[in-house]
Amino acid sequence: MDANDKVIAELVQTRIKVTPEQYKDVYNKRMHPILMAQPGIIATMAGVITSENGQDSKKQADGATVLSLVIWKNVDSHIGFVTGPAAGPFFEASMPLMREPPSVEHYDVDGLQPSAFNSHFAQVLKASSATNKELLASVFKRHVTTEGAEMALFSDCTEDTSKKALILFSDADQFEATCGVMDKGTGIEHYNIEWYSRGTTRSH
């Protein structure tokens, strides 16, 4: 398969200068409908990061952080949105809410199903060292055992191939697969998300 034909996940973290509730309102009324109208969209999810590296992050003095996960049919679909007429209204709605430019990463996707797109919570883990990547692989296997293979995304970052990300999806806000792993001072970056908006063009 050509690289441009691979399903791609766009992971965007944005520190905001409004409350999560205000951001959610703008996202749901203006941004989400624009994304869902794009011909290359498979799913879009947005939420607030509730904890970062084990610390409560909902009441940070410098603003909360929101995260969006957009699944595109391929790279060309994503580029078509960014360079097309829909990008203007989308960024006009989002930019006034940002405290700083967002962090954007892309990952190849394989195996995600509507059950993941419709989940209520997620945990994102990122690692760069070989040892930590092995730990992520063990967490992935544990999560698959309890939640199923369709409820996780495990992939290298397109922009930085030294970085690997694991996203666990669940309807519960506790992730048993990571119990005991994050307590070892591994240096694995991890944060929990509560989704407030979800949409998919795929049916069950």
Side-chain angles (χ1 to χ4, degrees):
M1 178 183 291
D2 186 272
N4 289 338
D5 291 331
K6 292 182 179 179
V7 176
I8 192 103
E10 179 188 15
L11 190 66
V12 183
Q13 288 177 237
T14 308
R15 192 171 296 279
I16 56 175
K17 59 184 179 182
V18 297
T19 66
E21 289 75 20
Q22 290 170 317
Y23 187 90
K24 173 183 176 180
D25 185 60
V26 174
Y27 182 90
N28 284 334
K29 288 181 179 178
R30 299 177 61 186
M31 298 157 64
H32 179 78
I34 292 173
L35 287 173
M36 290 303 297
Q38 300 311 301
I41 205 77
I42 292 176
T44 175
M45 308 175 74
V48 61
I49 293 178
T50 57
S51 68
E52 188 168 357
N53 297 323
Q55 302 297 314
D56 189 329
S57 60
K58 291 177 288 187
K59 298 179 180 179
Q60 294 181 119
D62 57 349
T65 300
V66 293
L67 180 142
S68 67
L69 177 66
V70 185
I71 312 295
W72 299 95
K73 292 180 180 177
N74 49 45
V75 173
D76 289 341
S77 296
H78 182 205
I79 294 174
F81 164 66
V82 174
T83 60
F90 182 87
F91 291 115
E92 287 171 8
S94 62
M95 289 183 69
L97 311 177
M98 299 178 186
R99 185 174 294 274
E100 57 193 38
S103 167
V104 183
E105 297 173 344
H106 297 88
Y107 297 87
D108 290 335
V109 180
D110 182 35
L112 283 178
Q113 300 295 325
S115 51
F117 305 148
N118 293 321
S119 64
H120 294 283
F121 300 94
Q123 186 173 83
V124 177
L125 304 97
K126 297 180 182 180
S128 295
S129 73
T131 300
N132 287 343
K133 288 179 181 179
E134 289 179 3
L135 280 174
L136 290 194
S138 68
V139 170
F140 171 71
K141 290 178 181 178
R142 291 171 64 182
H143 187 74
V144 166
T145 299
T146 57
E147 297 277 354
E150 72 278 5
M151 294 292 280
L153 185 161
F154 193 30
S155 180
D156 292 324
C157 177
T158 302
E159 291 83 3
D160 180 2
T161 54
S162 70
K163 181 186 295 184
K164 203 172 190 76
L166 172 61
I167 306 178
L168 309 177
F169 299 87
S170 180
D171 281 326
D173 61 356
Q174 299 296 319
F175 292 84
E176 295 181 5
T178 58
C179 290
V181 176
M182 298 299 108
D183 301 332
K184 300 175 182 178
T186 61
I188 294 175
E189 179 184 351
H190 62 285
Y191 40 92
N192 288 8
I193 300 99
E194 182 174 0
W195 302 117
Y196 53 67
S197 180
R198 298 174 301 281
T200 177
T201 58
R202 289 184 176 177
S203 60
H204 288 280

